[in-house]
Amino acid sequence: MPDPSEIVHRTCPLCEAHCGIAIEVDRDSGTVLTVRGDEQDSFSRGYLCPKAYGLKGLHEDPERLRRPLRRRGTDFEEISWEEAFAEAADRLREIRERHAADAIATYLGNPNAHDLGAILYGATFQKALGTRWRFSATSVDQLPKMVASSQLFGAPGRFAVPDVDRTDYFLVLGANPVVSNGSLMTAPDMPGRLRALRERGGHLVVVDPRRSETAAIADRHLFIRPGTDAFFLFSLVQVLFAEDGISLGPLEERTDGVDELRALARDFTPEATAAATGIAPDAVREIARELAAAERAAVYGRIGTCTQRFGTLASWLVDVLNALTGNLDSEGGVCFPRGAATPADDTPRKTGTFPFGRWRSRVRGLPEFAGELPVACLAEEIDTPGADGERVRALVTVSGNPVLSTPNGARLARALGRLEFMVSIDLYLNETSRLADLVLPSTGHLEHSNYDLVFDGVSVRNKAHWSPQVFAPAPDSRHQWEILAELAGRVNGASADDIHDLMIGGIARATGLEPDTARERGPEQILDLMLRGGPYRLSLEKLEAEPHGIDLGPLEPGRLPRILATASGRVELAPALITADVPRLRAALAGASDPEGLVLIGRRNVRSNNSWMHNVRALHKGRDRCVLMIHPEDAARLDLVDGARANVTSRVGEVTVPVSVTARMMPGVVSLPHGHGQGGAGARQSEAARVPGVNSNLLSDEADLDALSGNAVLNGIPVRVVPAAPV
Ligand SMILES: Nc1nc2c(c(=O)[nH]1)N[C@H]1C(S)=C(S)[C@@H](COP(=O)(O)OP(=O)(O)OC[C@H]3O[C@@H](n4cnc5c(=O)[nH]c(N)nc54)[C@H](O)[C@@H]3O)O[C@H]1N2
Ligand SMILES: Nc1nc2c(c(=O)[nH]1)N[C@H]1C(S)=C(S)[C@@H](COP(=O)(O)OP(=O)(O)OC[C@H]3O[C@@H](n4cnc5c(=O)[nH]c(N)nc54)[C@H](O)[C@@H]3O)O[C@H]1N2
Ligand code: SF4
Ligand SMILES: [Mo]
């Protein structure tokens, strides 16, 4: 008997690290035998985290949906794809005609960014609907960083990425890459890379209200009061100016706003901000001096610095510090990666002041950015009465679970129940899709090919890695891009092929190249054209020949002048949109928050991915991870002991959870992970629902935003904690 097992090499699509993996499969049974790290992948060198093995569980999960479902009362019935597409398109068209294009909202979740087909066709699908009411996980994530980049560098997607393999000094705020494996910083094996940094004599400094897994391996950890990073960062800037620590390096000639910054930072002395941040003035001065003295340093902030009240100011100040210390666009500092599927000529096609607030949400007047509105206002756009054409009546969710992932999930779930029509493109019947009229499941992660298009743009090394399909798709199934193309076509009386031809035509014109017609219509044909038109003149064929990926070298310093898209053609260190928010920060310093009150922050767990993958038993089993961490002094004051249950209340909701008493928390701060609370009538994830935990976004407040960007505040939520009544 021939051995039916075979090893397929590709990348793991589950998080931004995109580790190279070797999947051993049994072709006869269509099952995964093993998932290993690919030792020959020059980027990930065999690293993987426990989640990668979850690919097997996901592929084989009997509760993963394979066929379209239609709501029937409180349950669902399977229907054919033709019925599903016809019904979705008819209802959407009808709502658009009766009300307005803006009566249909869309919500794109995080996994879209990890799927080539979804990236390419998702944007086209949204355009085809013609709505301006577009929402996504961006506004519970990196929106502040995008607003900051748009003003500093002229483009929202130009992220300065830490050159982590060559830096000597790494200052990390509000990120826990040892667990999350890095974000807006694609770097497989962050634990190994941080170890290597220390082994070569470098320093890792972590600023976090919790002694996180990353803080635990750092040279220095500073507790910070949640939401006060902008104060701390401004103090660093103030010290740099006061002590002549500024040195912009080669970018000096291309940078504006330095004098304005000096003036803005003047009052934020370490003494003035210490009470708010909880960081002693001496510590601030030491860090400022170390940053200035380090040959090569990188400052990096992520979820904790974005999803807070001053998210944009904090994100901006992170890059300001990189610039002022000569580390922007510099080896071992922060750099701008160059993706293989980006235009070879990367001088910006459009320059100017990046637009902001071209339209506003109906109820609260929140600003549009890059074509989207903040998701914190989705519920009110549905549940607030309004005239025809003014109110959201229908919703399409694409790989998203906003009921668990966005603020005030309870209100959102109620609002979704009031829609005239809702479609969810999702792999599962979960807390969101269970409220839909139609659920359209796409093929599983191993049933389609992939390319990490988005994450090439934030990678700590330039590289290109093709991921072939591992298994043939289940019979009569549809890829995500096929679903999106079909719907995009049908709502406008066109075909999926028309949609594809339109897309590829655009890229052919931009690159001056002809598509490879030997390849079928679809994302592969489009990617091939993008690669051939890209800076390394690759092609899909060349990628297919390199199963362990192609290393395109370290980050290139000195790229920024060429790619700057600001109106001035210079780095705008003090852009008007952002500096206009500084008075709000100053006012907050004057009225510093109630030090007696507790505030809630979030965390991630290495065995799950936001709100999903909880149905994979191999990952989900074991102890309950949805516990409230609290400092011993706070626990004693509140009469809570380890393992006891507590009621946690915020302005908008209440949950009851077990507590874990630990000195790893800063006093006055409690931590609860997000992405838990699975279940609800109609949901079909029995393993997840076995130990569901609670939805931390029942506590996050849809009214509490980073006022500048509209991003949700998911860290620093005022809460009251009391012992729960015995059950
Ligand atoms: N309190 C709090 N809330 C948070 C955060 C936090 O730190 N604290 N983090 C925020 C962040 S950073 C993010 S990115 C968001 C995430 O928010 P979302 O993107 O809304 O939620 P996910 O939990 O990622 O859910 C992904 C959904 O996609 C489905 N899915 C997975 N893969 C595929 C696929 O290939 N095709 C299809 N069709 N469906 C698929 C899953 O079943 C699941 O329903 O959550 C945010 N919410
Ligand atoms: N295992 C696993 N990996 C993941 C995910 C997952 O759910 N599970 N999600 C993926 C996604 S979508 C993303 S966006 C990334 C996010 O990746 P990271 O940005 O690394 O996110 P977290 O792990 O939530 O770490 C945020 C840290 O900020 C701290 N923090 C909270 N509030 C503040 C504050 O006000 N100031 C400061 N300085 N710190 C604060 C928290 O204590 C926490 O340690 O992770 C990705 N990787
Ligand atoms: S860190 Fe884990 S989940 Fe992320 S890509 Fe690597 S193996 Fe996959
Ligand atoms: Mo995220």
Side-chain angles (χ1 to χ4, degrees), residues 89-104 125-131 389 393-394 420 487-493:
D90 287 352
R91 298 284 312 268
L92 291 172
R93 268 212 312 255
E94 183 259 326
I95 286 168
R96 192 166 67 181
E97 275 153 29
R98 191 153 43 90
H99 300 292
D102 288 342
I104 304 170
F125 168 69
Q126 301 205 78
K127 256 190 226 133
L129 285 178
T131 177
R393 315 276 176 162
E420 286 180 25
L487 289 177
R490 287 193 190 219
V491 292
N492 288 324

PDB file of all heavy atoms in Angstrom, residues 89-104 125-131 389 393-394 420 487-493:
ATOM      1  N   ALA A  89     -29.259  38.533  -2.495  1.00  0.00           N
ATOM      2  CA  ALA A  89     -29.185  39.643  -3.454  1.00  0.00           C
ATOM      3  C   ALA A  89     -30.546  40.333  -3.583  1.00  0.00           C
ATOM      4  O   ALA A  89     -30.624  41.563  -3.618  1.00  0.00           O
ATOM      5  CB  ALA A  89     -28.709  39.132  -4.806  1.00  0.00           C
ATOM      6  N   ASP A  90     -31.638  39.547  -3.633  1.00  0.00           N
ATOM      7  CA  ASP A  90     -32.967  40.150  -3.774  1.00  0.00           C
ATOM      8  C   ASP A  90     -33.292  41.047  -2.588  1.00  0.00           C
ATOM      9  O   ASP A  90     -33.759  42.165  -2.747  1.00  0.00           O
ATOM     10  CB  ASP A  90     -34.051  39.053  -3.867  1.00  0.00           C
ATOM     11  CG  ASP A  90     -34.016  38.354  -5.221  1.00  0.00           C
ATOM     12  OD1 ASP A  90     -33.271  38.838  -6.101  1.00  0.00           O
ATOM     13  OD2 ASP A  90     -34.713  37.322  -5.387  1.00  0.00           O
ATOM     14  N   ARG A  91     -33.034  40.522  -1.388  1.00  0.00           N
ATOM     15  CA  ARG A  91     -33.389  41.302  -0.194  1.00  0.00           C
ATOM     16  C   ARG A  91     -32.542  42.564  -0.093  1.00  0.00           C
ATOM     17  O   ARG A  91     -33.033  43.633   0.243  1.00  0.00           O
ATOM     18  CB  ARG A  91     -33.225  40.456   1.087  1.00  0.00           C
ATOM     19  CG  ARG A  91     -34.113  39.228   1.177  1.00  0.00           C
ATOM     20  CD  ARG A  91     -35.573  39.554   1.520  1.00  0.00           C
ATOM     21  NE  ARG A  91     -35.777  40.448   2.635  1.00  0.00           N
ATOM     22  CZ  ARG A  91     -35.952  40.079   3.898  1.00  0.00           C
ATOM     23  NH1 ARG A  91     -35.936  38.803   4.216  1.00  0.00           N
ATOM     24  NH2 ARG A  91     -36.174  40.971   4.851  1.00  0.00           N
ATOM     25  N   LEU A  92     -31.255  42.440  -0.391  1.00  0.00           N
ATOM     26  CA  LEU A  92     -30.380  43.619  -0.295  1.00  0.00           C
ATOM     27  C   LEU A  92     -30.781  44.667  -1.327  1.00  0.00           C
ATOM     28  O   LEU A  92     -30.842  45.859  -1.036  1.00  0.00           O
ATOM     29  CB  LEU A  92     -28.903  43.223  -0.459  1.00  0.00           C
ATOM     30  CG  LEU A  92     -28.316  42.402   0.695  1.00  0.00           C
ATOM     31  CD1 LEU A  92     -26.908  41.900   0.354  1.00  0.00           C
ATOM     32  CD2 LEU A  92     -28.282  43.225   1.999  1.00  0.00           C
ATOM     33  N   ARG A  93     -31.073  44.200  -2.531  1.00  0.00           N
ATOM     34  CA  ARG A  93     -31.494  45.135  -3.586  1.00  0.00           C
ATOM     35  C   ARG A  93     -32.794  45.826  -3.223  1.00  0.00           C
ATOM     36  O   ARG A  93     -32.960  47.026  -3.387  1.00  0.00           O
ATOM     37  CB  ARG A  93     -31.677  44.386  -4.910  1.00  0.00           C
ATOM     38  CG  ARG A  93     -30.424  44.386  -5.772  1.00  0.00           C
ATOM     39  CD  ARG A  93     -30.757  44.385  -7.244  1.00  0.00           C
ATOM     40  NE  ARG A  93     -31.759  43.392  -7.558  1.00  0.00           N
ATOM     41  CZ  ARG A  93     -31.515  42.215  -8.166  1.00  0.00           C
ATOM     42  NH1 ARG A  93     -30.287  41.926  -8.536  1.00  0.00           N
ATOM     43  NH2 ARG A  93     -32.469  41.360  -8.413  1.00  0.00           N
ATOM     44  N   GLU A  94     -33.691  45.036  -2.675  1.00  0.00           N
ATOM     45  CA  GLU A  94     -35.007  45.566  -2.326  1.00  0.00           C
ATOM     46  C   GLU A  94     -34.871  46.633  -1.220  1.00  0.00           C
ATOM     47  O   GLU A  94     -35.481  47.703  -1.303  1.00  0.00           O
ATOM     48  CB  GLU A  94     -35.884  44.372  -1.877  1.00  0.00           C
ATOM     49  CG  GLU A  94     -37.317  44.677  -1.545  1.00  0.00           C
ATOM     50  CD  GLU A  94     -37.551  44.759  -0.043  1.00  0.00           C
ATOM     51  OE1 GLU A  94     -36.888  44.022   0.735  1.00  0.00           O
ATOM     52  OE2 GLU A  94     -38.391  45.579   0.349  1.00  0.00           O
ATOM     53  N   ILE A  95     -34.027  46.366  -0.239  1.00  0.00           N
ATOM     54  CA  ILE A  95     -33.834  47.338   0.853  1.00  0.00           C
ATOM     55  C   ILE A  95     -33.161  48.602   0.321  1.00  0.00           C
ATOM     56  O   ILE A  95     -33.516  49.724   0.684  1.00  0.00           O
ATOM     57  CB  ILE A  95     -33.049  46.689   2.013  1.00  0.00           C
ATOM     58  CG1 ILE A  95     -33.982  45.729   2.757  1.00  0.00           C
ATOM     59  CG2 ILE A  95     -32.477  47.747   2.962  1.00  0.00           C
ATOM     60  CD1 ILE A  95     -33.323  44.809   3.737  1.00  0.00           C
ATOM     61  N   ARG A  96     -32.221  48.410  -0.579  1.00  0.00           N
ATOM     62  CA  ARG A  96     -31.547  49.573  -1.171  1.00  0.00           C
ATOM     63  C   ARG A  96     -32.544  50.427  -1.953  1.00  0.00           C
ATOM     64  O   ARG A  96     -32.507  51.651  -1.896  1.00  0.00           O
ATOM     65  CB  ARG A  96     -30.423  49.076  -2.082  1.00  0.00           C
ATOM     66  CG  ARG A  96     -29.482  50.164  -2.516  1.00  0.00           C
ATOM     67  CD  ARG A  96     -28.224  49.591  -3.112  1.00  0.00           C
ATOM     68  NE  ARG A  96     -28.487  48.907  -4.376  1.00  0.00           N
ATOM     69  CZ  ARG A  96     -27.536  48.293  -5.091  1.00  0.00           C
ATOM     70  NH1 ARG A  96     -26.291  48.244  -4.634  1.00  0.00           N
ATOM     71  NH2 ARG A  96     -27.826  47.712  -6.232  1.00  0.00           N
ATOM     72  N   GLU A  97     -33.443  49.772  -2.676  1.00  0.00           N
ATOM     73  CA  GLU A  97     -34.418  50.521  -3.477  1.00  0.00           C
ATOM     74  C   GLU A  97     -35.465  51.206  -2.603  1.00  0.00           C
ATOM     75  O   GLU A  97     -35.838  52.345  -2.818  1.00  0.00           O
ATOM     76  CB  GLU A  97     -35.106  49.603  -4.492  1.00  0.00           C
ATOM     77  CG  GLU A  97     -34.276  49.465  -5.768  1.00  0.00           C
ATOM     78  CD  GLU A  97     -34.526  48.151  -6.496  1.00  0.00           C
ATOM     79  OE1 GLU A  97     -35.649  47.605  -6.381  1.00  0.00           O
ATOM     80  OE2 GLU A  97     -33.584  47.660  -7.162  1.00  0.00           O
ATOM     81  N   ARG A  98     -35.928  50.478  -1.578  1.00  0.00           N
ATOM     82  CA  ARG A  98     -36.996  51.028  -0.737  1.00  0.00           C
ATOM     83  C   ARG A  98     -36.467  52.131   0.183  1.00  0.00           C
ATOM     84  O   ARG A  98     -37.162  53.110   0.442  1.00  0.00           O
ATOM     85  CB  ARG A  98     -37.624  49.901   0.087  1.00  0.00           C
ATOM     86  CG  ARG A  98     -38.899  50.252   0.805  1.00  0.00           C
ATOM     87  CD  ARG A  98     -39.785  49.018   1.036  1.00  0.00           C
ATOM     88  NE  ARG A  98     -39.032  47.857   1.481  1.00  0.00           N
ATOM     89  CZ  ARG A  98     -38.795  47.566   2.758  1.00  0.00           C
ATOM     90  NH1 ARG A  98     -39.215  48.369   3.709  1.00  0.00           N
ATOM     91  NH2 ARG A  98     -38.112  46.480   3.084  1.00  0.00           N
ATOM     92  N   HIS A  99     -35.249  51.972   0.685  1.00  0.00           N
ATOM     93  CA  HIS A  99     -34.708  52.975   1.612  1.00  0.00           C
ATOM     94  C   HIS A  99     -33.585  53.760   0.922  1.00  0.00           C
ATOM     95  O   HIS A  99     -33.818  54.799   0.361  1.00  0.00           O
ATOM     96  CB  HIS A  99     -34.202  52.305   2.886  1.00  0.00           C
ATOM     97  CG  HIS A  99     -35.272  51.559   3.628  1.00  0.00           C
ATOM     98  ND1 HIS A  99     -36.321  52.193   4.239  1.00  0.00           N
ATOM     99  CD2 HIS A  99     -35.456  50.231   3.850  1.00  0.00           C
ATOM    100  CE1 HIS A  99     -37.113  51.292   4.820  1.00  0.00           C
ATOM    101  NE2 HIS A  99     -36.612  50.092   4.593  1.00  0.00           N
ATOM    102  N   ALA A 100     -32.373  53.219   0.976  1.00  0.00           N
ATOM    103  CA  ALA A 100     -31.207  53.903   0.394  1.00  0.00           C
ATOM    104  C   ALA A 100     -30.035  52.943   0.475  1.00  0.00           C
ATOM    105  O   ALA A 100     -30.088  51.970   1.238  1.00  0.00           O
ATOM    106  CB  ALA A 100     -30.878  55.154   1.202  1.00  0.00           C
ATOM    107  N   ALA A 101     -28.998  53.214  -0.285  1.00  0.00           N
ATOM    108  CA  ALA A 101     -27.801  52.365  -0.203  1.00  0.00           C
ATOM    109  C   ALA A 101     -27.257  52.369   1.221  1.00  0.00           C
ATOM    110  O   ALA A 101     -26.789  51.352   1.737  1.00  0.00           O
ATOM    111  CB  ALA A 101     -26.737  52.855  -1.181  1.00  0.00           C
ATOM    112  N   ASP A 102     -27.352  53.530   1.895  1.00  0.00           N
ATOM    113  CA  ASP A 102     -26.823  53.628   3.261  1.00  0.00           C
ATOM    114  C   ASP A 102     -27.675  52.877   4.291  1.00  0.00           C
ATOM    115  O   ASP A 102     -27.316  52.819   5.469  1.00  0.00           O
ATOM    116  CB  ASP A 102     -26.706  55.100   3.683  1.00  0.00           C
ATOM    117  CG  ASP A 102     -25.571  55.808   2.956  1.00  0.00           C
ATOM    118  OD1 ASP A 102     -24.694  55.106   2.414  1.00  0.00           O
ATOM    119  OD2 ASP A 102     -25.560  57.052   2.949  1.00  0.00           O
ATOM    120  N   ALA A 103     -28.806  52.330   3.873  1.00  0.00           N
ATOM    121  CA  ALA A 103     -29.613  51.531   4.808  1.00  0.00           C
ATOM    122  C   ALA A 103     -28.988  50.159   5.029  1.00  0.00           C
ATOM    123  O   ALA A 103     -29.397  49.420   5.918  1.00  0.00           O
ATOM    124  CB  ALA A 103     -31.036  51.378   4.284  1.00  0.00           C
ATOM    125  N   ILE A 104     -27.981  49.828   4.210  1.00  0.00           N
ATOM    126  CA  ILE A 104     -27.286  48.537   4.379  1.00  0.00           C
ATOM    127  C   ILE A 104     -25.907  48.817   4.955  1.00  0.00           C
ATOM    128  O   ILE A 104     -25.110  49.542   4.354  1.00  0.00           O
ATOM    129  CB  ILE A 104     -27.114  47.814   3.030  1.00  0.00           C
ATOM    130  CG1 ILE A 104     -28.473  47.630   2.343  1.00  0.00           C
ATOM    131  CG2 ILE A 104     -26.418  46.465   3.236  1.00  0.00           C
ATOM    132  CD1 ILE A 104     -28.360  47.143   0.906  1.00  0.00           C
ATOM    133  N   PHE A 125     -16.776  44.170  -2.918  1.00  0.00           N
ATOM    134  CA  PHE A 125     -18.135  43.876  -2.453  1.00  0.00           C
ATOM    135  C   PHE A 125     -18.745  45.109  -1.777  1.00  0.00           C
ATOM    136  O   PHE A 125     -19.896  45.473  -2.030  1.00  0.00           O
ATOM    137  CB  PHE A 125     -18.095  42.686  -1.488  1.00  0.00           C
ATOM    138  CG  PHE A 125     -19.377  42.487  -0.734  1.00  0.00           C
ATOM    139  CD1 PHE A 125     -20.522  42.067  -1.394  1.00  0.00           C
ATOM    140  CD2 PHE A 125     -19.444  42.723   0.632  1.00  0.00           C
ATOM    141  CE1 PHE A 125     -21.721  41.890  -0.710  1.00  0.00           C
ATOM    142  CE2 PHE A 125     -20.633  42.550   1.328  1.00  0.00           C
ATOM    143  CZ  PHE A 125     -21.767  42.139   0.659  1.00  0.00           C
ATOM    144  N   GLN A 126     -17.951  45.761  -0.928  1.00  0.00           N
ATOM    145  CA  GLN A 126     -18.480  46.945  -0.239  1.00  0.00           C
ATOM    146  C   GLN A 126     -18.805  48.042  -1.241  1.00  0.00           C
ATOM    147  O   GLN A 126     -19.807  48.738  -1.113  1.00  0.00           O
ATOM    148  CB  GLN A 126     -17.470  47.456   0.788  1.00  0.00           C
ATOM    149  CG  GLN A 126     -17.139  46.412   1.814  1.00  0.00           C
ATOM    150  CD  GLN A 126     -16.664  47.032   3.113  1.00  0.00           C
ATOM    151  OE1 GLN A 126     -17.459  47.515   3.899  1.00  0.00           O
ATOM    152  NE2 GLN A 126     -15.374  47.030   3.319  1.00  0.00           N
ATOM    153  N   LYS A 127     -17.932  48.204  -2.229  1.00  0.00           N
ATOM    154  CA  LYS A 127     -18.190  49.215  -3.253  1.00  0.00           C
ATOM    155  C   LYS A 127     -19.472  48.888  -4.010  1.00  0.00           C
ATOM    156  O   LYS A 127     -20.274  49.766  -4.320  1.00  0.00           O
ATOM    157  CB  LYS A 127     -17.023  49.270  -4.245  1.00  0.00           C
ATOM    158  CG  LYS A 127     -16.136  50.462  -4.008  1.00  0.00           C
ATOM    159  CD  LYS A 127     -15.135  50.650  -5.131  1.00  0.00           C
ATOM    160  CE  LYS A 127     -13.771  50.920  -4.542  1.00  0.00           C
ATOM    161  NZ  LYS A 127     -12.689  50.147  -5.134  1.00  0.00           N
ATOM    162  N   ALA A 128     -19.665  47.603  -4.289  1.00  0.00           N
ATOM    163  CA  ALA A 128     -20.839  47.191  -5.055  1.00  0.00           C
ATOM    164  C   ALA A 128     -22.126  47.520  -4.305  1.00  0.00           C
ATOM    165  O   ALA A 128     -23.145  47.841  -4.915  1.00  0.00           O
ATOM    166  CB  ALA A 128     -20.768  45.695  -5.348  1.00  0.00           C
ATOM    167  N   LEU A 129     -22.086  47.457  -2.976  1.00  0.00           N
ATOM    168  CA  LEU A 129     -23.286  47.802  -2.210  1.00  0.00           C
ATOM    169  C   LEU A 129     -23.536  49.304  -2.234  1.00  0.00           C
ATOM    170  O   LEU A 129     -24.665  49.760  -2.069  1.00  0.00           O
ATOM    171  CB  LEU A 129     -23.148  47.337  -0.762  1.00  0.00           C
ATOM    172  CG  LEU A 129     -23.294  45.844  -0.496  1.00  0.00           C
ATOM    173  CD1 LEU A 129     -23.066  45.568   0.988  1.00  0.00           C
ATOM    174  CD2 LEU A 129     -24.666  45.323  -0.915  1.00  0.00           C
ATOM    175  N   GLY A 130     -22.474  50.061  -2.394  1.00  0.00           N
ATOM    176  CA  GLY A 130     -22.609  51.522  -2.513  1.00  0.00           C
ATOM    177  C   GLY A 130     -22.897  52.219  -1.195  1.00  0.00           C
ATOM    178  O   GLY A 130     -23.274  53.385  -1.172  1.00  0.00           O
ATOM    179  N   THR A 131     -22.730  51.530  -0.078  1.00  0.00           N
ATOM    180  CA  THR A 131     -23.051  52.163   1.201  1.00  0.00           C
ATOM    181  C   THR A 131     -21.845  52.894   1.774  1.00  0.00           C
ATOM    182  O   THR A 131     -20.707  52.506   1.555  1.00  0.00           O
ATOM    183  CB  THR A 131     -23.539  51.111   2.219  1.00  0.00           C
ATOM    184  OG1 THR A 131     -23.771  51.761   3.468  1.00  0.00           O
ATOM    185  CG2 THR A 131     -22.521  49.997   2.420  1.00  0.00           C
ATOM    186  N   GLY A 389     -34.319  56.008   4.636  1.00  0.00           N
ATOM    187  CA  GLY A 389     -33.032  56.346   4.064  1.00  0.00           C
ATOM    188  C   GLY A 389     -32.048  56.862   5.081  1.00  0.00           C
ATOM    189  O   GLY A 389     -30.930  57.194   4.760  1.00  0.00           O
ATOM    190  N   ARG A 393     -30.963  49.404   8.134  1.00  0.00           N
ATOM    191  CA  ARG A 393     -32.044  48.393   8.170  1.00  0.00           C
ATOM    192  C   ARG A 393     -31.524  46.998   7.913  1.00  0.00           C
ATOM    193  O   ARG A 393     -32.236  46.024   8.129  1.00  0.00           O
ATOM    194  CB  ARG A 393     -33.072  48.677   7.065  1.00  0.00           C
ATOM    195  CG  ARG A 393     -33.486  50.103   6.932  1.00  0.00           C
ATOM    196  CD  ARG A 393     -34.577  50.426   7.894  1.00  0.00           C
ATOM    197  NE  ARG A 393     -34.898  51.845   7.822  1.00  0.00           N
ATOM    198  CZ  ARG A 393     -36.024  52.369   8.281  1.00  0.00           C
ATOM    199  NH1 ARG A 393     -36.926  51.600   8.825  1.00  0.00           N
ATOM    200  NH2 ARG A 393     -36.229  53.653   8.200  1.00  0.00           N
ATOM    201  N   ALA A 394     -30.324  46.927   7.352  1.00  0.00           N
ATOM    202  CA  ALA A 394     -29.783  45.606   7.008  1.00  0.00           C
ATOM    203  C   ALA A 394     -28.287  45.610   7.275  1.00  0.00           C
ATOM    204  O   ALA A 394     -27.646  46.667   7.264  1.00  0.00           O
ATOM    205  CB  ALA A 394     -30.044  45.293   5.533  1.00  0.00           C
ATOM    206  N   GLU A 420     -34.144  44.520   9.472  1.00  0.00           N
ATOM    207  CA  GLU A 420     -35.049  43.879   8.518  1.00  0.00           C
ATOM    208  C   GLU A 420     -34.400  42.652   7.896  1.00  0.00           C
ATOM    209  O   GLU A 420     -35.071  41.689   7.536  1.00  0.00           O
ATOM    210  CB  GLU A 420     -35.426  44.873   7.399  1.00  0.00           C
ATOM    211  CG  GLU A 420     -36.408  45.922   7.866  1.00  0.00           C
ATOM    212  CD  GLU A 420     -36.772  46.888   6.753  1.00  0.00           C
ATOM    213  OE1 GLU A 420     -36.681  46.530   5.559  1.00  0.00           O
ATOM    214  OE2 GLU A 420     -37.147  48.022   7.089  1.00  0.00           O
ATOM    215  N   LEU A 487     -22.077  37.861  -4.672  1.00  0.00           N
ATOM    216  CA  LEU A 487     -23.005  38.857  -4.109  1.00  0.00           C
ATOM    217  C   LEU A 487     -22.775  40.224  -4.740  1.00  0.00           C
ATOM    218  O   LEU A 487     -23.733  40.930  -5.072  1.00  0.00           O
ATOM    219  CB  LEU A 487     -22.831  38.940  -2.589  1.00  0.00           C
ATOM    220  CG  LEU A 487     -23.328  37.735  -1.777  1.00  0.00           C
ATOM    221  CD1 LEU A 487     -23.017  37.939  -0.298  1.00  0.00           C
ATOM    222  CD2 LEU A 487     -24.833  37.529  -1.963  1.00  0.00           C
ATOM    223  N   ALA A 488     -21.503  40.594  -4.911  1.00  0.00           N
ATOM    224  CA  ALA A 488     -21.198  41.902  -5.517  1.00  0.00           C
ATOM    225  C   ALA A 488     -21.815  41.992  -6.904  1.00  0.00           C
ATOM    226  O   ALA A 488     -22.376  43.023  -7.286  1.00  0.00           O
ATOM    227  CB  ALA A 488     -19.688  42.113  -5.592  1.00  0.00           C
ATOM    228  N   GLY A 489     -21.712  40.906  -7.651  1.00  0.00           N
ATOM    229  CA  GLY A 489     -22.296  40.894  -8.987  1.00  0.00           C
ATOM    230  C   GLY A 489     -23.808  40.985  -8.917  1.00  0.00           C
ATOM    231  O   GLY A 489     -24.426  41.877  -9.511  1.00  0.00           O
ATOM    232  N   ARG A 490     -24.405  40.081  -8.154  1.00  0.00           N
ATOM    233  CA  ARG A 490     -25.872  39.987  -8.171  1.00  0.00           C
ATOM    234  C   ARG A 490     -26.583  41.242  -7.689  1.00  0.00           C
ATOM    235  O   ARG A 490     -27.656  41.561  -8.190  1.00  0.00           O
ATOM    236  CB  ARG A 490     -26.331  38.789  -7.333  1.00  0.00           C
ATOM    237  CG  ARG A 490     -26.040  37.467  -8.018  1.00  0.00           C
ATOM    238  CD  ARG A 490     -26.790  36.355  -7.307  1.00  0.00           C
ATOM    239  NE  ARG A 490     -26.349  35.053  -7.791  1.00  0.00           N
ATOM    240  CZ  ARG A 490     -27.176  34.029  -7.994  1.00  0.00           C
ATOM    241  NH1 ARG A 490     -28.469  34.147  -7.763  1.00  0.00           N
ATOM    242  NH2 ARG A 490     -26.697  32.878  -8.415  1.00  0.00           N
ATOM    243  N   VAL A 491     -26.029  41.946  -6.698  1.00  0.00           N
ATOM    244  CA  VAL A 491     -26.757  43.143  -6.244  1.00  0.00           C
ATOM    245  C   VAL A 491     -26.765  44.221  -7.326  1.00  0.00           C
ATOM    246  O   VAL A 491     -27.552  45.157  -7.259  1.00  0.00           O
ATOM    247  CB  VAL A 491     -26.207  43.747  -4.915  1.00  0.00           C
ATOM    248  CG1 VAL A 491     -26.462  42.827  -3.738  1.00  0.00           C
ATOM    249  CG2 VAL A 491     -24.736  44.095  -5.020  1.00  0.00           C
ATOM    250  N   ASN A 492     -25.903  44.091  -8.311  1.00  0.00           N
ATOM    251  CA  ASN A 492     -25.895  45.088  -9.391  1.00  0.00           C
ATOM    252  C   ASN A 492     -26.233  44.476 -10.749  1.00  0.00           C
ATOM    253  O   ASN A 492     -25.880  45.040 -11.788  1.00  0.00           O
ATOM    254  CB  ASN A 492     -24.530  45.776  -9.448  1.00  0.00           C
ATOM    255  CG  ASN A 492     -24.339  46.718  -8.268  1.00  0.00           C
ATOM    256  OD1 ASN A 492     -25.281  47.360  -7.836  1.00  0.00           O
ATOM    257  ND2 ASN A 492     -23.145  46.761  -7.731  1.00  0.00           N
ATOM    258  N   GLY A 493     -26.873  43.326 -10.733  1.00  0.00           N
ATOM    259  CA  GLY A 493     -27.271  42.696 -11.986  1.00  0.00           C
ATOM    260  C   GLY A 493     -26.094  42.288 -12.859  1.00  0.00           C
ATOM    261  O   GLY A 493     -26.191  42.262 -14.087  1.00  0.00           O
TER     262      GLY A 493
END
